[in-house]
Amino acid sequence: MSQKIYDRFINSHRGLQSGVIRDVLLPAILGDETDGISYWIGKDLARAFPVSSTEELCLLTEQLGLAHLTMKKSDHHQHLYLLDGPLVAERIAADHEETSFQLEAGFLAMETEFQVGAAAEAEVVGRRRKSVEVMVQNDPVDPDHPGEHAEFIHLTAKK
């Protein structure tokens, strides 16, 4: 690891351990498949921590150290989220074009699937200096093909 990378992580909001795992080790192991696999890892992360509401999703996203999450707009089939905060700003500033938010996209897709009961997919649709927008689109609810079922967890806010 170079001094520049070490200095960036040791002085970041994420810390050395999290930064190295996400931005050094995973890309080294996964190579060109990093974005695609990260999306599915995000879906698996959501399966481990399914929540029942947008409010809980916003809290959980922050508790997991992914980002500050805000629902910008939503209708029956589309949900636009804003990821921002110090962690997102740091990641974008460090490597603007190469910074991947596929883990977050997969996470939001699966959480939406649990909440609406229909298959959902997500993609990053906007990137700014300090924030990222993720659009989640879900299929119309089909009673013959319900989405994946989850037993929702109950969150505890930090005191």
Side-chain angles (χ1 to χ4, degrees):
M1 178 181 323
S2 73
Q3 186 68 47
K4 181 180 174 184
I5 294 171
Y6 172 81
D7 290 343
R8 182 178 75 195
F9 291 141
I10 201 70
N11 295 311
S12 76
H13 287 89
R14 290 185 292 164
L16 185 61
Q17 181 179 6
S18 178
V20 167
I21 289 171
R22 177 131 185 210
D23 294 343
V24 177
L25 294 179
L26 280 179
I29 293 167
L30 303 175
D32 293 339
E33 301 299 320
T34 300
D35 279 351
I37 294 173
S38 291
Y39 183 87
W40 292 102
I41 290 171
K43 284 192 154 212
D44 283 342
L45 182 61
R47 287 182 182 101
F49 301 104
V51 292
S52 63
S53 70
T54 301
E55 294 78 21
E56 287 185 321
L57 177 57
C58 292
L59 176 59
L60 179 62
T61 302
E62 195 139 352
Q63 288 177 337
L64 288 170
L66 298 176
H68 175 262
L69 180 69
T70 306
M71 168 78 76
K72 287 188 74 175
K73 62 181 176 178
S74 180
D75 64 28
H76 294 297
H77 305 294
Q78 292 186 328
H79 317 275
L80 182 63
Y81 292 98
L82 178 72
L83 297 166
D84 65 358
L87 297 171
V88 173
E90 275 181 4
R91 291 183 63 220
I92 293 171
D95 207 3
H96 182 72
E97 292 301 320
E98 297 299 316
T99 302
S100 173
F101 290 91
Q102 291 302 301
L103 185 140
E104 291 84 353
F107 177 74
L108 294 173
M110 195 72 236
E111 290 288 358
T112 299
E113 190 167 321
F114 290 142
Q115 291 176 17
V116 301
E121 293 184 11
E123 67 176 316
V124 174
V125 295
R127 181 185 297 254
R128 292 176 182 71
R129 280 190 12 217
K130 296 183 178 185
S131 65
V132 173
E133 290 181 329
V134 177
M135 176 66 73
V136 180
Q137 298 190 41
N138 58 279
D139 291 337
V141 177
D142 181 350
D144 295 327
H145 296 93
E148 207 170 306
H149 176 72
E151 186 174 323
F152 295 120
I153 66 169
H154 302 285
L155 300 182
T156 303
K158 278 182 157 179
K159 295 179 181 182

